[in-house]
Amino acid sequence: MTLPPPVRLVRAPALAPTVPYAYAAALELPVVGRLVFTAGACPIDAAGATVAVGDVAGQAVQVMANLRAALAAAGAGLTDVLATTVYVASSDRQDLVAAWDEVRAAMGDHDAPSTLMGVTVLGYPGQLVEVQAVAVAGAQMGGRSS
């Protein structure tokens, strides 16, 4: 018997079906595993330098690579993500869409709930994009890995 995954993405029938993400994520209990809270993944390389300065989409690609690495180090992956928050240092909706398109591409079919927002400034010089995530790693239901 195949057990359902512990994270269930919820689409509310009363809300617009055209959004590119689930409206909520539910964690089925009892789950044996661990919650993973990431710091905001930033567009910095292994040496600590900001990459793709001035390029929102390019930074979003690096951010998602860094998010994958942080999740992997905690024993999780993008499909374990319960929710994300995407920050873009811009008031231009085109910049927000450019970042969002890269985040969505990285997430694939796992369209977990996400909040996308424009902010005034982010922490590193030249930084335009940051993504924070909450995930569940090593989840098991009924004694079996999902």
Side-chain angles (χ1 to χ4, degrees):
M1 175 174 95
T2 302
L3 295 172
V7 176
R8 183 173 55 91
L9 300 178
V10 179
R11 285 152 181 81
L15 300 175
T18 56
V19 299
Y21 51 83
Y23 282 103
L27 182 60
E28 301 297 332
L29 297 176
V31 173
V32 177
R34 69 191 161 281
L35 286 176
V36 177
F37 296 86
T38 70
C42 299
I44 56 175
D45 63 18
T50 302
V51 302
V53 173
D55 178 3
V56 170
Q59 286 196 3
V61 169
Q62 181 69 45
V63 162
M64 293 309 291
N66 291 350
L67 180 59
R68 271 190 214 96
L71 289 168
L78 291 177
T79 58
D80 298 313
V81 169
L82 294 169
T84 63
T85 304
V86 180
Y87 303 94
V88 183
S90 177
S91 61
D92 186 336
R93 280 193 173 86
Q94 289 180 341
D95 289 339
L96 275 70
V97 170
W100 179 249
D101 287 346
E102 297 302 332
V103 170
R104 287 293 310 126
M107 295 296 289
D109 291 336
H110 187 72
D111 56 350
S114 187
T115 298
L116 171 66
M117 67 179 81
V119 299
T120 304
V121 66
L122 292 166
Y124 289 97
Q127 181 182 0
L128 299 172
V129 181
E130 187 166 324
V131 177
Q132 181 180 15
V134 177
V136 60
Q140 297 180 357
M141 292 193 60
R144 300 164 98 180
S145 276
S146 60

